Amino acid sequence: MWRWLNGFFIGPSESDLPERLREAIRNQQDRSERITGWIQLTVVLLWAFLWAISPRMASGMESLPVPIALLIYFVLTVVRIVWSYRARLPDWSLAISVVCDMALLMTVIWSFHLTYNQPPSFFLKAPTLLYVFIFIALRSLRFDSRFVLLSGGMAALGWAVMVAYVVILEAGTMPVTRDYVVYMTSNSLLFGAEFDKIITIIIFTLVLAAALARAKALLLRSVSEEQKARALSRFFDQGVAERIKSAESDFRSGQGELRDATILSLDLRGFTPLASSLRPEETVQLLSDYQSLMVPIIRAHGGAVDKFLGDGILASFGVVEERENYAADAMTALQAVMAAAAAWEEERSRNGMVAPRVNAALTSGRVLFAVIGENERLEYTVIGEAVNLAAKVEKFNKTLKTRALADARTCALAERQGYVAPAAWAKTWRALPNTSLPEVGERLDLVVLTE
């Protein structure tokens, strides 16, 4: 039963979240406590103003409880606000604050019979009791049901004590009635009315605590899912991650869609023998620098990184998101990639570091964008002749001692889609018609884009 109540009213634990997210939640709670403090200060100042301008029949010692209570509460509230700006308020201080809220409210209500020279039952009709709901609701700003329950519990207990005080103090002399009109027009006591007040406070507290706990559970679940989605985006292309997150049904191996696309294949020439001569950390840093440079350029031009193959990068245009100008986008991306690669190689050489050349290839065709693998380990990938051909054309750079190649079909397609090569870039283009590639059963018309 306790576990059920704890889960229903207090909500799930934050322990499953990463520490930085838990700290973010705590920081938000700290801000909420500052807001609560300022609202409390506003309330006490409002009460002080109303007390100052209200007519009073009593004087002397009988009028002192309210200003003393307000002064104490004012001092405690100021201390609490200053403390909240200087450090994180511990739970015990928040519990004390809840007790002070209700103690102040009950003291103010209790003083009514002294202020107006009436029997104690007089204060039971004070509308000031409605402030109970403000103090309870204030605790919901923290998104912690414990303090809502504590506040409501103290309010219900406080009012029960107030009723008991009246019953004990006026035993034998206080008129008890069951007539609501008599109750409202005299200082008589109607137990049903006081019972209704206590029950209303309890039900309001339980409903608010339950709603708060469920809202917090949803918040934590949302934060957790967002954290997982953010982590997912680091292992998948952003477009693929969005597709996975927004899918209306579970993915299964074998699902796929046909797309007209352009494939970009990048590779570091001579990386394998180079890696054997470098320290492991130098190899990793080289790959990291290279990938950190290339990937943003690809994404900026509408490409999606399908996978990293050691020092290779396989990207697609028009696959994850259908695009009318996919070949033109790919050609623009390749142009930017080669310019950035040249600058990167020059910078590394200038700093005395190894500077492998970046090779590239573009091919186009009909591909299958599919989910493959086993249901416990799935992968979204691009399958098709254009993908295989891009890898083979890229390797052919080594034979030709060129930097970037494309098949003539892709160049023509890019131009039809609106791509216009800059003059300096177009000067480097060289046609290689009817070229035989290793491992390719037919001859191809190729274009050297960069020597």
Side-chain angles (χ1 to χ4, degrees):
M1 176 63 73
W2 170 248
R3 288 183 180 178
W4 181 85
L5 289 173
N6 183 75
F8 189 75
F9 287 112
I10 299 180
S13 171
E14 298 171 10
S15 59
D16 293 335
L17 297 178
E19 174 57 30
R20 64 180 183 83
L21 291 180
R22 293 202 298 271
E23 181 63 21
I25 292 174
R26 289 192 289 267
N27 289 337
Q28 185 61 44
Q29 290 176 330
D30 292 342
R31 287 191 287 271
S32 297
E33 289 304 327
R34 296 181 194 121
I35 294 173
T36 299
W38 285 110
I39 294 176
Q40 289 172 320
L41 186 61
T42 301
V43 169
V44 72
L45 292 176
L46 175 62
W47 282 357
F49 173 75
L50 294 175
W51 181 86
I53 65 174
S54 296
R56 290 178 293 278
M57 298 179 65
S59 60
M61 295 298 294
E62 292 179 343
S63 65
L64 287 180
V66 172
I68 291 175
L70 291 176
L71 179 61
I72 293 173
Y73 190 74
F74 174 81
V75 172
L76 291 176
T77 301
V78 171
V79 170
R80 182 182 183 282
I81 292 173
V82 174
W83 190 1
S84 70
Y85 278 96
R86 292 178 174 270
R88 178 163 291 150
L89 296 176
D91 286 354
W92 62 263
S93 72
L94 301 179
I96 291 176
S97 176
V98 169
V99 174
C100 289
D101 285 345
M102 295 308 164
L104 169 68
L105 180 59
M106 298 304 163
T107 299
V108 170
I109 295 174
W110 170 83
S111 71
F112 277 27
H113 78 290
L114 300 178
T115 301
Y116 297 100
N117 290 326
Q118 296 292 322
S121 56
F122 176 77
F123 65 64
L124 294 179
K125 300 177 180 63
T128 310
L129 177 63
L130 294 175
Y131 280 92
V132 158
F133 300 104
I134 295 177
F135 283 130
I136 296 174
L138 269 178
R139 298 301 163 179
S140 66
L141 294 177
R142 186 180 174 84
F143 257 69
D144 192 331
S145 296
R146 294 177 302 167
F147 297 105
V148 172
L149 291 170
L150 177 60
S151 184
M154 291 301 301
L157 177 62
W159 196 250
V161 169
M162 298 278 277
V163 174
Y165 172 85
V166 171
V167 172
I168 293 172
L169 195 66
E170 298 188 34
T173 62
M174 176 188 60
V176 177
T177 182
R178 298 181 65 180
D179 189 320
Y180 183 74
V181 175
V182 173
Y183 165 74
M184 290 300 297
T185 57
S186 69
N187 287 327
S188 58
L189 176 65
L190 178 62
F191 281 108
E194 307 312 322
F195 179 77
D196 283 347
K197 294 174 187 177
I198 295 174
I199 289 298
T200 300
I201 292 171
I202 292 174
I203 292 177
F204 174 80
T205 299
L206 293 178
V207 171
L208 181 60
L212 189 62
R214 295 168 77 86
K216 184 177 180 181
L218 181 61
L219 173 65
L220 293 180
R221 195 154 44 242
S222 175
V223 170
S224 178
E225 290 299 321
E226 180 62 28
Q227 171 67 15
K228 293 175 182 177
R230 190 176 293 112
L232 185 70
S233 297
R234 300 179 64 187
F235 287 91
F236 291 89
D237 177 82
Q238 292 177 346
V240 173
E242 286 298 325
R243 176 181 285 257
I244 294 173
K245 288 192 293 183
S246 61
E248 296 183 358
S249 59
D250 291 336
F251 289 93
R252 300 187 308 275
S253 180
Q255 292 177 327
E257 303 169 76
L258 288 173
R259 293 277 198 270
D260 288 319
T262 295
I263 306 299
L264 170 64
S265 178
L266 299 178
D267 191 70
L268 290 178
R269 182 179 297 177
F271 175 77
T272 301
L274 175 62
S276 64
S277 65
L278 297 175
R279 296 195 304 273
E281 59 271 22
E282 291 177 328
T283 302
V284 173
Q285 188 60 52
L286 172 62
L287 282 176
S288 178
D289 291 346
Y290 155 66
Q291 292 164 349
S292 298
L293 178 65
M294 298 294 113
V295 172
I297 296 174
I298 294 170
R299 287 177 174 166
H301 291 86
V305 175
D306 185 75
K307 59 174 64 73
F308 297 105
L309 303 167
D311 59 314
I313 300 175
L314 181 66
S316 61
F317 293 79
V319 173
V320 177
E321 179 184 353
E322 290 188 277
R323 307 170 70 93
E324 293 182 358
N325 303 325
Y326 59 89
D329 292 338
M331 190 65 76
T332 304
L334 177 59
Q335 176 187 328
V337 160
M338 298 314 296
W344 177 67
E345 295 162 18
E346 182 180 350
E347 180 183 1
R348 289 184 64 88
S349 296
R350 190 168 55 248
N351 293 329
M353 296 184 287
V354 293
R357 298 181 69 184
V358 177
N359 287 347
L362 283 180
T363 58
S364 298
R366 195 87 164 149
V367 298
L368 180 64
F369 185 42
V371 179
I372 62 172
E374 189 269 333
N375 284 331
E376 295 300 320
R377 174 63 175 89
L378 299 176
E379 181 179 349
Y380 241 132
T381 191
V382 183
I383 303 169
E385 182 57 32
V387 179
N388 299 330
L389 185 60
K392 295 171 182 177
V393 171
E394 186 279 315
K395 289 180 181 179
F396 200 50
N397 278 299
K398 183 177 181 180
T399 302
L400 299 177
K401 297 185 173 15
T402 54
R403 294 172 64 90
L405 294 169
D407 63 337
R409 179 180 180 277
T410 298
C411 293
L413 182 60
E415 290 174 345
R416 286 199 303 273
Q417 292 178 358
Y419 174 75
V420 178
W425 171 254
K427 286 180 181 179
T428 65
W429 288 23
R430 176 165 56 90
L432 295 177
N434 201 30
T435 303
S436 176
L437 267 70
E439 303 178 11
V440 177
E442 59 184 30
R443 292 179 172 272
L444 293 175
D445 293 330
L446 298 179
V447 177
V448 175
L449 301 177
T450 304
E451 297 283 354

